[in-house]
Amino acid sequence: MIINKNDKKLEEIKNRGAIMEGDYLQIASDIIADVRKRGDTALFEYTKKFDKFDINKDNIKVSRKEIEEAYKNTDAKLIEAIKKAKENILSFHKMQMEKTWLYETEKGAMLGQKITPLDSAGIYVPGGKAAYFSSVLMNALPAVAAGVKHISMASPATGGAINSAVLVAADICGISEIYKIGGAQAVAALAYGTETVKKVDKITGPGNIYVAMAKKLVFGVCDIDMIAGPSEILIIAGDNARAEYVAADMLAQCEHDELASAVTILWNKELAEKIERQVYTQLEKLPKKDIAKVSLEKHSAIILVDNLDEACEVANNIAPEHLELYIDDALSHIGKIRHAGAIFVGENSPEAAGDYYAGPNHVLPTGGSAKFFSPLGTYDFFKRSSIIYYNRNSLQENGANIITMAEHENLQAHANSIKVRM
């Protein structure tokens, strides 16, 4: 498990999410085309086939009675925790809101930008192995902060029921419509609309490979958040880092699934050995130890480097989804991290705090895409429109230059549209 920075396993870890899209992409494409053509009929057939649920126009939406029943079936402490998490997440995302602005030039022209929320958004929440109510909060609340008026949710209801905590979280977030559908067929329904499912302007949220491929295919018909890959954490551990803390945080990532990755970078070999021992000691106590063990052995590592600067260089090259900066005076070293979806600073800031509660979004770029992608945020749920106002003086002042540029692109009609005003 302990390797050096040049070990080939590091490249294997970075590339673990690479898959052959062909078959998955084609299956998703076929499902999308079918739902687009046959609407509800196809949607209902796929739901019965994959989710073992006989769905129809009367039971596709979660009723108020089902939501009230979900509250009864959800632990009261969890409900209060979800409500408090909502406050934290909403407060953070309201800080990301942009404003409409204008400025005036010397000649009286006015230029600016208008900020407008999207009309609608659709959130996908996976079912299957686990139901993540935290995904509801993290996908819905940026849209709420942006002012999106219509927010719907799709989640597979295996056997006809959606997880109670997921329904409670959706209700607390004010989601207006909840559909009992999943998979590529749900993405198709949200993107194109059917007789019972309303078309949306943007689809966000994680899912399996078919959901990911479907989102990729409908991009352009509507917007999407990102194509998420396997989850990952990278920890930079200084000499005073506690081995049991680092090990616990590595395992917290590894229990997600077999493709998850946990990497620790440090320059203290004795500490590296302590962390490795702690990892395997704590592993034995985990309910999901079989999943975590595969993640540890195939896609995780403890990497030895020479110093902090080298550790940051390796980390920036990996560009992880989550990065924990577990070193002395960690705040003063944040500037050394250029590429990371989220940065957790100091020993009391474990990833789990951000996953659920702190406020920043847990929908983050994976697979090295933190080099050019950002976390899901309020800015993803509004659009910018440019504003151009020229008065007569502005057009007279600049018209000749515009005509020259248009004529040099051989677009005479463009030039003439200026000339007739000159």
Side-chain angles (χ1 to χ4, degrees):
M1 192 177 183
I2 299 175
I3 63 174
N4 63 54
K5 64 175 183 177
N6 297 315
D7 195 297
K8 66 178 183 179
K9 184 176 181 181
L10 183 55
E11 282 301 313
E12 293 172 0
I13 291 170
K14 287 170 64 177
N15 297 325
R16 75 195 185 286
I19 58 169
M20 294 299 292
E21 292 184 354
D23 290 344
Y24 298 108
L25 198 64
Q26 187 58 55
I27 292 170
S29 179
D30 292 343
I31 291 172
I32 290 169
D34 196 17
V35 172
R36 187 179 181 187
K37 181 180 179 181
R38 297 194 295 132
D40 276 351
T41 301
L43 181 61
F44 297 164
E45 287 176 6
Y46 287 119
T47 300
K48 187 171 184 178
K49 178 179 178 180
F50 296 124
D51 297 333
K52 314 303 179 189
F53 175 40
D54 196 0
I55 198 171
N56 56 60
K57 64 182 180 62
D58 296 321
N59 65 2
I60 187 173
K61 294 180 186 179
V62 173
S63 67
R64 189 67 217 172
K65 182 179 180 181
E66 288 173 295
I67 291 173
E68 290 169 1
E69 195 65 29
Y71 274 96
K72 296 176 184 177
N73 294 330
T74 304
D75 184 271
K77 290 182 179 179
L78 176 57
I79 293 173
E80 288 307 307
I82 289 173
K83 288 180 178 178
K84 181 58 183 174
K86 176 199 170 181
E87 292 176 15
N88 296 344
I89 297 163
L90 194 56
S91 294
F92 178 87
H93 286 83
K94 283 181 176 178
M95 297 294 291
Q96 294 179 332
M97 189 65 192
E98 294 184 22
K99 295 180 180 179
T100 295
W101 51 266
L102 285 168
Y103 73 92
E104 187 173 0
T105 69
E106 291 181 3
K107 296 295 180 180
M110 295 186 71
L111 306 171
Q113 181 173 272
K114 180 178 181 295
I115 300 297
T116 307
L118 301 182
D119 288 339
S120 60
I123 296 163
Y124 187 91
V125 179
K129 289 183 179 179
Y132 296 112
F133 54 83
S134 59
S135 290
V136 181
L137 300 173
M138 295 296 183
N139 283 275
L141 294 175
V144 172
V148 178
K149 287 185 169 56
H150 178 76
I151 304 172
S152 57
M153 186 180 95
S155 186
T158 304
I162 296 175
N163 177 273
S164 292
V166 167
L167 291 181
V168 167
D171 189 61
I172 289 172
C173 291
I175 294 176
S176 55
E177 291 177 312
I178 305 170
Y179 301 107
K180 301 175 185 177
I181 52 175
Q185 61 272 19
V187 174
L190 290 171
Y192 290 99
T194 71
E195 295 90 332
T196 55
V197 178
K198 292 179 182 177
K199 173 178 167 42
V200 299
D201 296 321
K202 182 156 189 160
I203 300 172
T204 71
N208 62 21
I209 184 63
Y210 297 103
V211 170
M213 292 302 98
K215 285 169 66 180
K216 182 174 184 176
L217 288 166
V218 301
F219 175 63
V221 175
C222 62
D223 192 17
I224 63 169
D225 49 355
M226 63 185 77
I227 306 296
S231 192
E232 61 212 16
I233 190 171
L234 187 149
I235 303 166
I236 297 178
D239 290 334
N240 295 317
R242 302 189 192 190
E244 63 270 31
Y245 286 12
V246 176
D249 291 356
M250 290 181 73
L251 289 169
Q253 193 64 46
C254 291
E255 73 173 350
H256 269 294
D257 62 64
E258 291 86 350
L259 283 174
S261 172
V263 171
T264 293
I265 306 177
L266 72 177
W267 45 94
N268 184 323
K269 188 175 181 181
E270 183 181 350
L271 178 58
E273 291 169 348
K274 286 181 180 178
I275 292 170
E276 185 177 40
R277 288 195 295 271
Q278 272 291 320
V279 164
Y280 285 104
T281 297
Q282 294 183 30
L283 174 65
E284 292 305 311
K285 302 174 184 177
L286 290 181
K288 294 186 176 181
K289 69 177 181 180
D290 290 340
I291 292 173
K293 187 176 182 180
V294 175
S295 169
L296 276 173
E297 294 181 349
K298 289 191 174 182
H299 309 298
S300 303
I302 298 170
I303 303 173
L304 284 169
V305 296
D306 292 335
N307 51 50
L308 173 60
D309 287 339
E310 195 170 71
C312 292
E313 181 183 341
V314 174
N316 284 321
N317 184 43
I318 294 172
E321 178 185 16
H322 310 92
L323 186 145
E324 289 187 0
L325 202 56
Y326 194 173
I327 58 177
D328 294 339
D329 195 22
L331 277 171
S332 67
H333 294 286
I334 291 175
K336 294 179 180 179
I337 304 301
R338 299 191 310 279
H339 308 306
I343 304 170
F344 299 81
V345 186
E347 69 171 22
N348 295 309
S349 308
E351 181 201 324
D355 280 348
Y356 293 106
Y357 196 78
N361 212 287
H362 79 195
V363 180
L364 302 167
T366 59
S369 62
K371 289 182 178 179
F372 46 85
F373 274 142
S374 303
L376 186 69
T378 305
Y379 38 75
D380 288 300
F381 292 95
F382 56 70
K383 56 192 177 66
R384 304 166 185 87
S385 300
S386 299
I387 300 171
I388 301 99
Y389 165 77
Y390 267 27
N391 60 19
R392 186 160 186 80
N393 287 340
S394 302
L395 191 61
Q396 293 290 333
E397 176 75 16
N398 299 295
N401 287 331
I402 300 169
I403 291 168
T404 297
M405 295 175 77
E407 289 180 340
H408 276 77
E409 287 195 344
N410 294 317
L411 295 173
Q412 193 60 49
H414 280 62
N416 288 341
S417 72
I418 303 297
K419 288 178 181 179
V420 297
R421 291 171 168 82
M422 298 286 282

